[in-house]
Amino acid sequence: MNNALPKDFLWGGAVAAHQVEGGWDQGGKGLSIVDVLTSGAHGVERVITDKIEAGHRYANHEAVDFYHRYTDDIALFAEMGFKCFRTSIAWSRIFPLGDELEPNEEGLRFYDDMFDELLRHGIEPVITLSHFEMPNHLVTAYGGWKSRKLVDFFVRFSEVVLRRYQHKVKYWMTFNEINNQRNWKVPLFGYCCSGVIYPQEPNPEECMYQVLHHQFVASARVVSLGHAINPDLQIGCMLAMVPLYPYSCHPDDVMYAEIAMRERFLFGDVHMRGHYPAYIRREWQRKGYQIAMEPEDEEILRAGCADYIGLSYYMSNAVRALGAGTGTALSGFEGSVPNPHVKASEWGWQIDPVGLRYTLNQLYGRYEKPLFIVENGFGARDVKNEQGEIDDDYRIAYLRAHIEQMKLAIVEDGVEVMGYTPWGCLDCVSFTTGEYSKRYGFIHVDRHDDGSGSFARTRKRSFDWYRQVIASNGETL
Ligand code: P53
């Protein structure tokens, strides 16, 4: 048996434009929805302020200043031996309002230069088209993705960047963690995925399905369009995979977990199979939901199946049938209870490396399409020792354990995994809390929650560790 990972395995790291770039009002960039999202903390929700208001901190405005420092950052990625680097394109750099007919050339040039810098180091860009940020104007003028008009605006944006970068970027993804908004009760998730605050809608769940339909159609159109522009392009979907285990072997718990997992599989099913599964049509019928669709949509979905599944994996969760007593909900999943067999991070994320192998098997078994682990990592508070160094052994332990399980999935189970890009390879602004202090990086950034810090970069202990993981193609862990 071949125990090695494929030679062309894409080791790298991942971030998103709004969490690293800063330069929020530079280069002709328009206001995006995260530019009006305040910094929060664990237990302190981020506030959506609609416009920029005095007296608030908006960490994404400067983020970690990648906009001005990418040359140095990419040199550090190259030093670790990255084969690829995942980031996103800020839609509002290309179309500042979102509904213009012509793109902003200065925004396009920024990504041209950044991609050239990556390629100069032999690092393949992996690009998400929509990672939790859209031009704010599309929310104030159209109500975000509630409006079908967004489909055309998004396709226009995508067409411009797919054409422009087709010879620089081969790997693309449409919507980051599109399934986060299935958890519509949490305002932040709907807001960042779609510019819609579902709890404020008269029928939030029905609204969420309508929004999703628009995004599924948009994603499928972009996949078809991308293939027409250049058949070499690989265009994936992107799912947040948090496997929901049955809390016990009680048949009610097992069935509940099966149903709860539709929160994730619905998205894979539509993106990868090109049609809505029976269970969702039944749910709409049962609840009397009318989801507006155009006659051509069925064919658009069928024709635009994604090429691969990009996934994030941080944690697993356990769910217990409602009625059998509910515990404390973790991450907002209804009926979810702490799993006594795993430990949680300070932010309550349950650490479960085996869950990664489990998830890879579940996805591959269901779709038989390549998988790309585009996020995995450990958010922690890093403290410098007396020498000013960060000994992040906890992060190394987390990543090592997950890579081991990924290898088992590939080598023992035969799952096709294209690559592995740990989240926040460069410290960045946390999405859920807007903090700097929830760090994921191999590279420390001197920037703090109170807005102080020089933005200086330093290598953590995990930097050298990851370098030798890549150099040995995952043999030396
Ligand atoms: P922060 C939940 C479950 C899995 C991934 O998150 C998630 C979430 C939160 O929606 O989000 C991804 O920074 C997301 C990134 C984000 C990263 O997880 O809150 O794609 O943008 O930064 C880590 O610790």
Side-chain angles (χ1 to χ4, degrees):
M1 194 167 85
N2 182 5
N3 277 321
L5 293 182
K7 287 226 161 6
D8 54 356
F9 190 77
L10 290 166
W11 295 100
V15 294
H18 67 104
Q19 289 171 273
V20 295
E21 283 178 9
W24 68 287
D25 58 354
Q26 293 175 34
K29 180 180 168 299
L31 192 72
S32 92
I33 57 171
V34 282
D35 294 329
V36 295
L37 186 61
T38 66
S39 307
H42 185 35
V44 183
E45 263 182 48
R46 306 186 74 174
V47 184
I48 300 157
T49 56
D50 299 326
K51 55 185 181 347
I52 293 163
E53 288 177 1
H56 287 295
R57 207 179 289 291
Y58 296 94
N60 295 89
H61 287 190
E62 291 85 27
V64 295
D65 200 34
F66 182 77
Y67 186 70
H68 297 108
R69 294 164 196 258
Y70 69 82
T71 311
D72 293 343
D73 291 332
I74 290 170
L76 288 167
F77 299 153
E79 198 180 316
M80 278 187 277
F82 278 22
K83 314 278 184 220
C84 73
F85 172 59
R86 173 183 181 230
T87 186
S88 59
I89 294 178
W91 185 350
S92 56
R93 281 200 194 286
I94 311 303
F95 287 97
L97 295 174
D99 57 0
E100 303 92 333
L101 295 176
E102 293 305 321
N104 168 35
E105 179 58 29
E106 205 178 341
L108 286 168
R109 225 175 308 122
F110 167 71
Y111 291 104
D112 256 321
D113 294 346
M114 198 251 285
F115 297 157
D116 287 342
E117 191 62 21
L118 287 166
L119 294 169
R120 217 167 56 76
H121 288 282
I123 300 174
E124 185 108 45
V126 176
I127 298 303
T128 316
L129 288 162
S130 176
H131 192 131
F132 296 165
E133 61 188 316
M134 54 196 280
N136 198 50
H137 171 74
L138 295 182
V139 175
T140 51
Y142 299 90
W145 280 91
K146 276 187 287 182
S147 164
R148 174 114 188 172
K149 293 205 172 89
L150 270 278
V151 177
D152 287 332
F153 298 146
F154 182 72
V155 173
R156 185 183 301 150
F157 156 66
S158 301
E159 177 162 9
V160 165
V161 296
L162 287 164
R163 275 194 202 288
R164 174 94 169 204
Y165 306 127
Q166 58 172 304
H167 301 297
K168 299 185 183 183
V169 181
K170 176 174 173 187
Y171 299 102
W172 298 83
M173 276 168 275
T174 51
F175 294 94
N176 182 66
E177 294 190 339
I178 183 171
N179 58 307
N180 267 356
Q181 61 194 311
R182 179 64 190 73
N183 203 348
W184 55 263
K185 288 175 186 151
V186 181
L188 182 69
F189 290 172
Y191 178 69
C192 282
C193 283
S194 302
V196 184
I197 302 172
Y198 293 117
Q200 294 177 358
E201 293 296 323
N203 197 344
E205 195 178 54
E206 184 176 28
C207 174
M208 182 264 301
Y209 284 123
Q210 185 65 62
V211 161
L212 279 176
H213 181 66
H214 295 153
Q215 294 186 332
F216 284 138
V217 168
S219 177
R221 279 184 56 191
V222 166
V223 171
S224 296
L225 179 71
H227 290 158
I229 290 171
N230 186 335
D232 291 340
L233 301 185
Q234 294 278 307
I235 307 168
C237 63
M238 199 300 197
L239 310 178
M241 286 307 293
V242 181
L244 304 175
Y245 298 154
Y247 183 73
S248 77
C249 54
H250 190 294
D252 287 348
D253 282 353
V254 175
M255 196 57 221
Y256 185 74
E258 164 72 21
I259 292 171
M261 274 308 281
R262 292 176 187 163
E263 288 194 2
R264 303 176 188 267
F265 286 138
L266 167 64
F267 300 82
D269 289 352
V270 180
H271 277 306
M272 304 311 290
R273 293 171 167 163
H275 58 85
Y276 283 103
Y279 57 78
I280 199 67
R281 294 203 174 266
R282 286 294 164 135
E283 184 185 324
W284 292 343
Q285 230 174 34
R286 202 168 55 244
K287 295 179 171 170
Y289 292 169
Q290 302 290 332
I291 310 303
M293 299 190 187
E294 297 301 322
E296 64 272 23
D297 291 355
E298 221 168 279
E299 178 52 24
I300 291 173
L301 294 180
R302 201 195 56 73
C305 292
D307 296 315
Y308 66 93
I309 300 176
L311 66 131
S312 65
Y313 178 84
Y314 293 87
M315 59 184 144
S316 65
N317 240 281
V319 290
R320 192 172 193 167
L322 296 169
T326 54
T328 325
L330 277 176
S331 316
F333 305 112
E334 234 166 298
S336 73
V337 283
N339 179 344
H341 306 288
V342 304
K343 290 203 179 71
S345 82
E346 190 185 323
W347 283 265
W349 292 23
Q350 300 193 122
I351 304 160
D352 174 17
V354 176
L356 175 58
R357 179 178 181 188
Y358 174 79
T359 274
L360 294 171
N361 274 280
Q362 275 209 320
L363 285 175
Y364 197 63
R366 197 169 176 116
Y367 305 115
E368 295 185 318
K369 285 283 176 343
L371 308 176
F372 196 159
I373 304 167
V374 295
E375 289 183 33
N376 173 233
F378 188 58
R381 244 173 255 285
D382 289 329
V383 181
K384 289 193 172 171
N385 67 19
E386 276 148 32
Q387 287 76 48
E389 291 156 355
I390 289 161
D391 299 332
D392 53 344
D393 293 328
Y394 37 89
R395 181 168 293 111
I396 295 174
Y398 177 100
L399 294 171
R400 177 190 290 129
H402 284 78
I403 295 172
E404 274 167 2
Q405 293 297 323
M406 172 189 79
K407 282 169 63 180
L408 288 172
I410 298 172
V411 173
E412 300 266 326
D413 308 328
V415 175
E416 260 178 283
V417 181
M418 298 157 64
Y420 177 75
T421 58
W423 175 254
C425 50
L426 169 73
D427 281 352
C428 61
V429 178
S430 156
F431 160 59
T432 47
T433 67
E435 293 167 293
Y436 286 100
S437 46
K438 189 181 187 190
R439 296 173 183 273
Y440 287 85
F442 304 113
I443 302 164
H444 180 268
V445 177
D446 180 41
R447 182 76 177 170
H448 308 281
D449 293 336
D450 62 2
S452 67
S454 66
F455 290 114
R457 274 56 169 159
T458 40
R459 299 166 186 79
K460 302 182 195 177
R461 178 176 283 180
S462 55
F463 184 100
D464 267 334
W465 172 80
Y466 194 46
R467 191 178 44 72
Q468 46 97 31
V469 170
I470 298 177
S472 65
N473 201 23
E475 288 298 307
T476 314
L477 290 176

